[in-house]
Amino acid sequence: MSDSPLITVIVPVYNVLEYLPRCVRSITAQTYRNLEILLVDDGSGDGTGALCDELAEEDSRIRVFHQENGGTSRARNLALAHARGAYVGFVDSDDYISPDMYERLAEAIETYGTGAAQIGRDEIGEDGNPLPDICRPPREPEVIESVKFMEELLMHRGDCSFCTKLIRRDLFPPEAFPPGKLNEDFHLLVRMLPEMERIVSLPGQAYHVFYRIGSNSRKADRESFSRVYADCVDNADMAADIVERDYPGLRETAFRFGIFQRLEYLLHIPLSRMRGDNDEYRRIVKYMRKKWAKSMRNSLLTGKNKVYHTLFALTPGGIRKLHAFLRRKAE
């Protein structure tokens, strides 16, 4: 395997002292040996940075970078700037991977001549029990054209995670991940899809998500309003622009996606923020009112979607107050 292309595996790291050894050792144990492993300590304050340096002493393929806390996107971008591999993969620092994952992904890229390959994932709760699958892998290897992959993403059926994928490094644009944004994987993937052209999807689940409450992407505070909902609306608009340029046959699908993301925003924003001086909220309500008739004609939106759209267009605060009342009554 010495002639095999080098794969760069990027691991952003932040305050995961308990879980990092399992993550890193699942990478160093890969049957595909020609790896470089880039650990980016994102300003950890619990000793994780020192642990990264210790793990690097165990395996010469590991390189460590330390930066002030700037978020996952900045950590990934730093590592991409130093990546030497022909292909790049990502692993979150509290997750782990099966021993043959990168061997299977690299072989699939070579066999099918694609710029990227992906494999299924499962999710495991803190109690060790499996959680419901988010995306189901195919039963046989499947080559998916980029237009079809875009459609699957816009219909909430596709997997936008970079952690389940191996991708040619030359396909990544400069400053690839958007700093300071959430939903960053979707943001970058839809930008890259036209250049990828095709992705091969493999059967099985080789990436293992450890669902740790309180981790960077899995917040437990129900009272807070994550900026991910606004970022998802922005990403929906960006995806619509890409569809208009590269996949015009998906216009209705992209419109449905934009409505769906705005409904998610309106269903989660706290009542205290549904005010006239909240410009972001006002823009979204204005859009929903303006696009109501078009939404009613969209065959991809469900009857439930259209009912919610109508209610939020008429009385966004009223429907949320009703929701809160029904929730209290149920409790």
Side-chain angles (χ1 to χ4, degrees), residues 13 42 48 52 67 69 122-123 145 170 172 178 182-183 197 218 241 256 258 274 277 284-285 292 297 310:
V13 177
D42 188 35
T48 297
C52 288
Q67 68 172 21
N69 182 250
D122 56 21
E123 297 209 3
E145 300 295 327
D170 64 299
F172 286 89
L182 296 177
N183 196 224
E197 296 183 351
R218 302 152 195 158
D241 290 340
R256 173 258 176 207
M274 300 175 79
D277 60 351
I284 287 177
V285 171
W292 178 83
R297 297 193 298 268
T310 301

Side-chain angles (χ1 to χ4, degrees), residues 5-12 32 34-38 75-91 101-102 105-106 109 115-118 161-173 176-177 188 192 196:
L6 179 66
I7 291 175
T8 299
V9 183
I10 294 172
V11 186
Y32 193 102
N34 194 19
L35 304 175
E36 66 166 1
I37 304 159
L38 307 187
R76 285 174 163 182
N77 287 338
L78 173 66
L80 280 170
H82 290 86
R84 302 167 181 161
Y87 299 101
V88 178
F90 299 85
V91 180
M101 187 175 102
Y102 285 119
L105 290 172
I109 288 175
Q118 73 172 15
S161 173
F162 275 81
C163 291
T164 57
K165 296 174 178 59
L166 187 64
I167 300 174
R168 273 194 359 234
R169 180 165 61 91
D170 64 299
L171 290 173
F172 286 89
F177 292 95
L188 178 57
M192 293 175 67
M196 282 185 190

Side-chain angles (χ1 to χ4, degrees), residues 139-153:
R139 294 183 179 180
E140 300 290 338
E142 179 183 2
V143 176
I144 308 170
E145 300 295 327
S146 65
V147 61
K148 180 62 177 178
F149 204 96
M150 176 68 87
E151 181 181 18
E152 292 296 291
L153 290 176

